[in-house]
């Protein structure tokens, strides 16, 4: 699997690690106090389990990508990269999707269910949540491209070996 061990692959993994680390950090900083007529309420990302899943998945995948950046080129662990990349792309995309779904419900509400939007009370909180989801999806796209490159390299080596 030579294409994964090239400098381009390592650079892309570095960018993906930075994107997922940034997404998790932005999500962790999402909090704002909403003031009502007689009380104030602190709204944080920790109130919703989907956001915890998002943070955990992004930190996990950021650590994985960082380890692969520093993995020696001749290591036999590169043979596991296709399998691990496919599993981690699914985990990352599902956690980003769940967080985005909850974030959009918080931002827009569901009028026919009479769930009101909280966007007008805590706009900074909602902006951080949606920004974290957007940055997380950048990481998903980069890891998906890396997975496709790894699959292409594996299938090319199989096809070349068969035709010789």
């Amino acid at each position: 699997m030579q294409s994964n061990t090239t400098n381009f692959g390592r650079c892309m993994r570095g960018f993906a690690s930075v994107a997922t680390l940034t997404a998790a950090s932005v999500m962790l900083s999402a909090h704002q106090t909403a003031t009502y007529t007689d009380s104030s309420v602190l709204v944080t990302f920790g109130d919703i389990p989907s956001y915890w899943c998002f943070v955990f998945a992004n930190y996990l995948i950021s650590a994985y990508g960082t380890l692969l950046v520093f993995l020696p080129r001749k290591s036999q662990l590169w043979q596991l990269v296709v399998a691990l990349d496919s599993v981690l792309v699914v985990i990352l995309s599902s956690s980003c999707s769940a967080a985005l779904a909850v974030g959009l419900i918080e931002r827009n509400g569901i009028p026919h269910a009479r769930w009101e939007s909280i966007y007008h009370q805590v706009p900074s909180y909602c902006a951080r949540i949606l920004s974290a989801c957007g940055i997380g999806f950048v990481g998903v796209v980069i890891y998906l491209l890396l997975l496709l490159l790894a699959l292409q390299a594996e299938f090319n080596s199989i096809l070349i070996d068969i035709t010789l």
Side-chain angles (χ1 to χ4, degrees), residues 4-153:
N4 262 342
T5 61
T6 63
N7 288 335
F8 176 73
R10 288 177 186 265
C11 184
M12 290 300 290
R13 286 193 187 278
F15 284 139
S17 291
V18 168
T20 54
L21 182 66
T22 303
S25 299
V26 169
M27 182 67 78
L28 281 174
S29 69
H31 58 79
Q32 187 176 1
T33 302
T35 305
Y36 296 102
T37 55
D38 58 347
S39 65
S40 64
V41 177
L42 177 65
V43 180
T44 65
F45 83 97
D47 297 335
I48 299 177
S50 296
Y51 295 156
W52 278 110
C53 178
F54 177 87
V55 169
F56 176 74
N58 277 280
Y59 276 142
L60 173 76
I61 293 169
S62 177
Y64 164 77
T66 303
L67 288 175
L68 284 182
V69 167
F70 296 110
L71 188 67
R73 292 180 189 269
K74 304 276 186 195
S75 176
Q76 294 297 317
L77 293 175
W78 283 108
Q79 295 174 354
L80 296 173
V81 168
V82 175
L84 287 174
D85 277 356
S86 60
V87 169
L88 293 179
V89 163
V90 169
I91 290 171
L92 187 62
S93 63
S94 63
S95 69
C96 287
S97 298
L100 181 63
V102 173
L104 289 175
I105 289 173
E106 287 179 337
R107 186 179 194 288
N108 301 328
I110 301 178
H112 66 276
R114 295 195 174 130
W115 289 355
E116 298 297 322
S117 168
I118 64 167
Y119 180 74
H120 300 295
Q121 288 86 17
V122 285
S124 173
Y125 165 79
C126 288
R128 283 188 182 270
I129 295 293
L130 296 178
S131 298
C133 291
I135 297 168
F137 275 113
V138 169
V140 169
V141 169
I142 294 172
Y143 274 114
L144 186 60
L145 289 174
L146 285 167
L147 175 63
L148 293 175
L149 286 173
L151 286 172
Q152 185 262 341

